[in-house]
Amino acid sequence: VFFSFNTIPMKLSTTKASNHHDDEAGNPPSISYFHRVSSLCKKGEIREALGLVTEMGSRNVRIGPEIYGEILQGCVYERDLSTGQQIHARILKNGDFYAKNEYIETKLVIFYAKCDALEVAQLLFSKLRARNVFSWAAIIGVRCRIGLVEGALMGFVEMLENGLFPDNFVVPNVCKACGALQWSRFGRGVHGYVAKAGLHDCVFVASSLADMYGKCGLLDDARKVFDEIPDRTVVAWNALMVGYVQNGMNQEAIRLLSAMRNEGIEPTRVTVSTCLSASANMGGIEEGKQSHAIAIVNGLELDNILGTSILNFYCKVGLIEYAEMIFDRMIEKDVVTWNLLISGYVQQGLVEDAIHMCQLMRRGNLNFDCVTLSSLMSAAARTHNLKLGKEVQCYCIRHGFVSDIVLASTAVEMYAKCGSIVDAKKVFNSTVEKDLILWNTLLAAYAEPGLSGEALRLFYEMQLEGVPPNVITWNSVILSLLRNGQVNEAKDMFLQMQSSGISPNLISWTTMMNGLVQNGCSEEAIVYLRKMQESGLRLNVFSITVALSACANLASLHFGRSIHGYIIRNQHHSSSVSIETSLVDMYAKCGDISKAERVFGSKLYSELPLYNAMISAYALYGNVKEATALYRSLDEDVGIEPDNITITNVLSACHHAGDINQAIHIFTDMVSKHAMKPCLEHYGLMVDLLASAGETEKALRLIEEMPYKPDARMIQSLLASCNKQHKSELVEYLSRHLLESEPENSGNYVTISNVYAVEGSWDEVGKMREMMKVKGLKKKPGCSWIQIKGEEQGVHVFVANDKTHFRNNEIRRILALLTYEMCSDFKQY
């Protein structure tokens, strides 16, 4: 609503006005008014300034263009679009003397641009008779702010073409536009202009250049610009720090904060928020706490921006109690604040707390947005709570969120995690505008359970729909094939990805390596590891654990040591408990138990998986004394409760050593002391141990009492025990039961055949072999492998009756020679 100048309240009394005129008897009244108007505008007292203009009109004091210019500038300070529009109307009403004044025209462009009224600003700019640096700065600035960054750069070029030289107000916006577009070549051109124009000494220009290079991922250039700034302000430090964080160089950002404080630069909210983001990204709890402490020591107010950053940090590192404390202390809480805490609860698996927080949010008259609903769907996915997921999906439909592509992707993922692929497909089909993320989400849903057929159909369908696959798409298809055991097809798809112009990323290589290991192709996994390193990619924690697993499967101590050396050189040894666990497992399976003990002894973590790995190592070597001692120290000294894997490993140690009394004691402790429910594997180990010790009756009694159906391994153990004790009737019964439970398992026929062979029942042995022949079953051939030191070929695998080795002829000649010599030696005796 436009208001009249005459209705503006005046705070200046008549007496004061009279005194003012007396004091300025020798000065023109318009100059006096100008200074007073200017002073009020700078203080943000626009209405009082307008009151003076009204007073000038009533006293017939000339109102020059500069008066309106000052009030427009005051409106810029306050971003007061409504009052500025009234001034504009007054200017137009007063005629061309004001409306066509070059100074006023420029001020109007600046005013509308600063208020982000782009259309009006551009219209007035297009009508300017003379465009100067100020009007160009305003237009380039508004284009940059509202996202028309290409238009901002075009404005910069047009300025230069028209012979106008961008100043230190224009260049920062141009740098911002280059950073947003990641146009590094254009940015380097701007940098060249800055050097030629002599603007490089301006800290704001230099800071904007550092920021631009950071956003373009050119951190070396950003650092060079930063180092050349003579008097660095906090703006320059923040620009480089933000660049480091945006490019994943979180440790460098933390170090920069330390250097900044050493130079006596006081950190701002931006500094602390950036360091908190860096700490959250790297999981640096201590670094984040120090940043929080700096905020407190420097008296930074816990406003919405800083409070949100601190809250986000504590949620990401799992310190949910600290996050709650910050949340409670924040005075102003918006939807973003609530969403952060809800997301934090979900990440920690505290679904009930997340739902309760949503209820409190609604009571505070705040509506859920797509982030809130996405967090709730993630909660349903993490807990496999299909009921909750469907309730959130219904809320989305009722409140008009159906078209939200992000929520659609989250819903597809939620249904997939809850095991309802059909519902995931329904959500996908009902989404009108499908983006690449949605296609990839459904592909991942098919890939996880190994539904390679559906994944491939979707892969080709998306391309027919004009959606080109990216590296994530290819990774999902490859995973689906590997999960379905289609190793050769996965390798072909990997090659197709490369030939299509898409370079495999770290996940691509690790997926292939892990899939090969899972499908029993550990030697090929090592080959892919080498190729990955040749491509220039550095291993991460997961790829290292997969590589160590491959070495363990191959019992390749040479490769395992090489990877351990890589870990030490690249300081990965301190980054994850999973790496230490994998190292212990690898050394144990490669025959070096002493090295496994040394890795365990120098551990940086006291975590259950690491203890389980060491107990498993002792079990592998039959070191029951060491295994049980470590098991007891876990509970008594370290204060960690064992899990099912711990018990399995200790019982395995007892089984290898034949220590039945120790096993019974641990099995009893499991139930009475640790309140754990034994699983089928625990019962299987106990049955095997009792059967091996000749305690067949006790083993049978345990099978009868357990709440599970006995598996083939248990029956095989009983068969072997009964055979030793010549219990023929029980052998017949168990043999029938074994074949009925697993009729396609060749190992069962071999076991029964061996039992009959010991008894001398050769007719039964023949029957077993005939049954195998009729069913097309074959005994799995034996396999062995060796690794020759210093040879690049890697691991040599030998399978019974296999003639595919590349040195097969040479091997056969050597064997024939050895056989001949052995026969010759035998004849001499």
Side-chain angles (χ1 to χ4, degrees), residues 218 288 348 389 430 457 491 499 575 627 662 767 825:
L218 304 170
Q348 297 303 310
S430 65
R457 274 195 293 272
K491 290 192 286 188
S499 61
S575 60
Q662 189 78 260
K767 286 180 183 179
D825 291 343

Side-chain angles (χ1 to χ4, degrees), residues 544-734:
I544 288 171
T545 56
V546 170
L548 288 170
S549 179
C551 295
N553 292 344
L554 294 169
S556 176
L557 187 59
H558 173 68
F559 280 138
R561 283 173 174 165
S562 299
I563 294 168
H564 193 181
Y566 175 89
I567 292 166
I568 294 170
R569 288 193 304 274
N570 292 274
Q571 296 184 335
H572 278 298
H573 61 286
S574 61
S575 60
S576 173
V577 67
S578 62
I579 287 181
E580 291 187 337
T581 303
S582 298
L583 282 169
V584 169
D585 182 64
M586 181 273 295
Y587 278 118
K589 288 178 179 175
C590 290
D592 195 343
I593 186 68
S594 60
K595 184 64 176 177
E597 287 177 321
R598 284 201 296 274
V599 172
F600 180 80
S602 61
K603 63 184 179 296
L604 297 171
Y605 304 92
S606 291
E607 301 274 347
L608 183 59
L610 188 53
Y611 277 83
N612 285 345
M614 195 64 237
I615 293 170
S616 175
Y618 285 135
L620 194 63
Y621 286 78
N623 297 350
V624 66
K625 184 179 178 182
E626 290 85 349
T628 52
L630 193 59
Y631 160 70
R632 302 202 186 285
S633 72
L634 182 66
D635 183 27
E636 295 167 7
D637 301 333
V638 186
I640 299 176
E641 279 289 317
D643 62 2
N644 283 332
I645 297 171
T646 318
I647 303 297
T648 300
N649 292 341
V650 183
L651 290 176
S652 295
C654 297
H655 179 268
H656 282 300
D659 192 338
I660 190 168
N661 294 326
Q662 189 78 260
I664 291 171
H665 183 67
I666 289 166
F667 190 79
T668 306
D669 265 5
M670 178 186 184
V671 179
S672 59
K673 185 177 179 181
H674 301 295
M676 295 170 67
K677 182 181 177 183
C679 65
L680 182 61
E681 191 172 8
H682 298 141
Y683 281 106
L685 285 164
M686 289 302 298
V687 167
D688 199 11
L689 192 59
L690 290 166
S692 300
E695 300 282 356
T696 310
E697 298 298 327
K698 289 183 179 179
L700 284 168
R701 198 178 309 123
L702 186 62
I703 287 175
E704 289 172 1
E705 292 173 356
M706 73 181 187
Y708 305 103
K709 184 179 178 181
D711 62 5
R713 181 183 169 183
M714 291 183 185
I715 299 171
Q716 287 174 356
S717 300
L718 287 171
L719 263 173
S721 177
C722 292
N723 187 40
K724 288 177 184 177
Q725 298 174 41
H726 306 290
K727 297 182 179 181
S728 302
E729 291 182 6
L730 196 53
V731 166
E732 288 290 332
Y733 170 77
L734 291 171

Side-chain angles (χ1 to χ4, degrees), residues 11 162 216 375 396 411 445 610 681:
K11 293 187 178 179
N162 292 335
C216 292
S375 294
C396 293
L610 188 53
E681 191 172 8

Side-chain angles (χ1 to χ4, degrees), residues 317-328:
V317 298
L319 298 176
I320 204 71
E321 298 87 359
Y322 286 75
E324 289 172 334
M325 180 179 67
I326 296 298
F327 181 85
D328 291 338

Side-chain angles (χ1 to χ4, degrees), residues 447 471 473-483 486 489-491 493-495 497 508 511-512:
V471 68
T473 317
W474 287 93
N475 289 348
S476 292
V477 176
I478 291 167
L479 177 64
S480 72
L481 293 166
L482 290 167
R483 286 280 168 88
Q486 297 169 273
E489 290 83 352
K491 290 192 286 188
M493 191 62 70
F494 192 83
L495 291 173
M497 173 173 66
S508 312
T511 299
M512 277 302 303

